[in-house]
Amino acid sequence: MVDALVTVIVVLACIGAVCALASARVIKQYERGVVFRLGRLRQGIRGPGFTMIAPVIDRLRKVNMQIVTMPVPSQEGITRDNVTVRVDAVVYFKVVDPAEAIVEVEDYRFAVSQMAQTSLRSIIGKSDLDDLLSNREKLNQGLELMIDSPAVGWGVHIDRVEIKDVSLPETMKRSMARQAEADRERRARVINADAELQASKKLAEAAAQMAETPSALQLRLLQTVMAVAAEKNSTLVLPIPVELLRFLERGQQPSEAADRTVDGAPEREIPEREAPPERPSPAAIPTLTEREPERERERETRAR
């Protein structure tokens, strides 16, 4: 009798141990547990740590509460200014209500992925190419609102959405490269013209200053010669200012006037060259038929 009782106690202890092991659960710090008893959701969310459930009749579903990084596949669309582009993005979201994430939607990850793809296509159609390339912050906010509106009912919160890359056709890339090159060249020409204007103003001020002191021009000429000679060139270029040539020209004018006047005598007039005698025109020369009567007259005169 005692042996049978001991056997029953041992069997019950084994069954209790098995049931305890079957009902024991461990929930990690970043997880939350949702319990279903006979298919019905029980109130209360199990927190991290050790927890017990009724074996056989209870089912525990663990939900990850970490932020999920989900890449959105590239979506091809036509912008508002009729440019075909391919845009990909990334969505950051997390579960805020584990019960709704399990009950309201079958697979919240797949639902968020599909919603992100459709919203991205909608954003592409409503935006211009310049906005996709330069004004992404505003597009990210609009895309986040479009995805977060239906995700609230799934117990999911969209933390942020980022557009990663915008792929353009090769023809559009070449056009944009030509546009950027033309803009760079335009700015370079404007800067060069501005520099020339400033330099001309400074040169005008320097010329006005040198005009007051003519010796400054000679000093500047000597400095230029020294700068050229310091480069060890075999050929020395000596610039001559125009003012110096004008000074020499003015000095030659009195000497020429003195040569023309000798001892107070007036300048001798140079006679003009005589014109060569005019040649008879071809019409004044007699032809052969006109010369025949003259030859006959000469023969008669000789015969007499």
Side-chain angles (χ1 to χ4, degrees):
M1 185 68 181
V2 176
D3 295 336
L5 183 59
V6 172
T7 304
V8 171
I9 294 173
V10 171
V11 170
L12 292 176
C14 293
I15 294 173
V18 171
C19 292
L21 292 175
S23 61
R25 295 290 187 273
V26 176
I27 300 176
K28 298 179 181 180
Q29 181 65 37
Y30 55 85
E31 294 178 339
R32 296 295 183 272
V34 179
V35 179
F36 292 90
R37 178 165 292 178
L38 298 177
R40 179 174 293 183
L41 178 66
R42 293 198 62 183
Q43 297 296 328
I45 304 300
R46 303 294 177 90
F50 180 80
T51 184
M52 298 289 291
I53 61 173
V56 181
I57 61 175
D58 286 350
R59 293 290 184 270
L60 179 66
R61 292 283 301 274
K62 297 179 181 179
V63 180
N64 193 334
M65 304 296 291
Q66 292 177 317
I67 295 177
V68 180
T69 303
M70 177 179 293
V72 181
S74 299
Q75 301 297 314
E76 184 174 358
I78 300 176
T79 60
R80 191 165 56 182
D81 49 355
N82 298 325
V83 179
T84 303
V85 295
R86 293 182 65 89
V87 182
D88 56 353
V90 58
V91 181
Y92 301 90
F93 69 94
K94 63 179 179 179
V95 177
V96 293
D97 192 341
E100 290 186 356
I102 297 299
V103 176
E104 298 297 334
V105 64
E106 180 181 3
D107 187 353
Y108 64 89
R109 291 175 178 265
F110 181 74
V112 172
S113 176
Q114 295 300 314
M115 180 58 65
Q117 294 180 30
T118 55
S119 300
L120 184 58
R121 284 178 176 269
S122 178
I123 285 292
I124 292 173
K126 295 179 181 178
S127 305
D128 295 331
L129 180 61
D130 294 338
D131 294 336
L132 289 174
L133 296 177
S134 60
N135 195 13
R136 294 188 182 182
E137 194 67 28
K138 182 178 179 180
L139 297 180
N140 293 337
Q141 295 177 0
L143 190 58
E144 179 181 346
L145 291 175
M146 293 179 65
I147 302 174
D148 191 49
S149 297
V152 172
W154 304 336
V156 177
H157 172 68
I158 304 300
D159 189 61
R160 63 184 304 174
V161 182
E162 294 287 343
I163 295 176
K164 292 198 302 182
D165 188 22
V166 178
S167 300
L168 300 175
E170 293 297 330
T171 55
M172 182 58 64
K173 290 182 180 179
R174 290 193 293 268
S175 300
M176 294 177 67
R178 289 195 298 268
Q179 180 183 358
E181 184 178 357
D183 185 62
R184 293 279 184 178
E185 185 176 359
R186 178 184 62 84
R187 284 189 289 177
R189 290 184 178 181
V190 170
I191 294 173
N192 190 16
D194 191 12
E196 292 292 339
L197 178 60
Q198 295 179 5
S200 63
K201 290 181 180 180
K202 295 298 182 181
L203 290 175
E205 294 177 1
Q209 187 69 23
M210 288 183 179
E212 297 178 358
T213 55
S215 59
L217 185 62
Q218 298 295 331
L219 294 176
R220 183 59 182 168
L221 177 60
L222 294 176
Q223 290 179 358
T224 304
V225 173
M226 291 177 62
V228 174
E231 296 182 359
K232 299 180 181 180
N233 294 327
S234 59
T235 303
L236 179 61
V237 179
L238 181 62
I240 300 176
V242 180
E243 288 77 5
L244 181 60
L245 297 178
R246 290 177 180 176
F247 177 76
L248 296 176
E249 184 179 357
R250 291 174 185 174
Q252 290 179 358
Q253 289 179 357
S255 62
E256 291 179 357
D259 293 341
R260 292 179 180 179
T261 305
V262 180
D263 297 333
E267 182 181 358
R268 184 174 59 87
E269 296 182 357
I270 301 174
E272 297 181 356
R273 294 182 180 180
E274 297 181 357
E278 296 182 355
R279 296 181 180 180
S281 60
I285 300 175
T287 59
L288 294 175
T289 55
E290 294 177 354
R291 291 180 181 179
E292 288 297 331
E294 295 180 358
R295 292 180 180 179
E296 292 179 356
R297 293 174 185 174
E298 292 178 358
R299 291 175 184 176
E300 291 179 356
T301 306
R302 291 177 182 176
R304 293 176 182 176

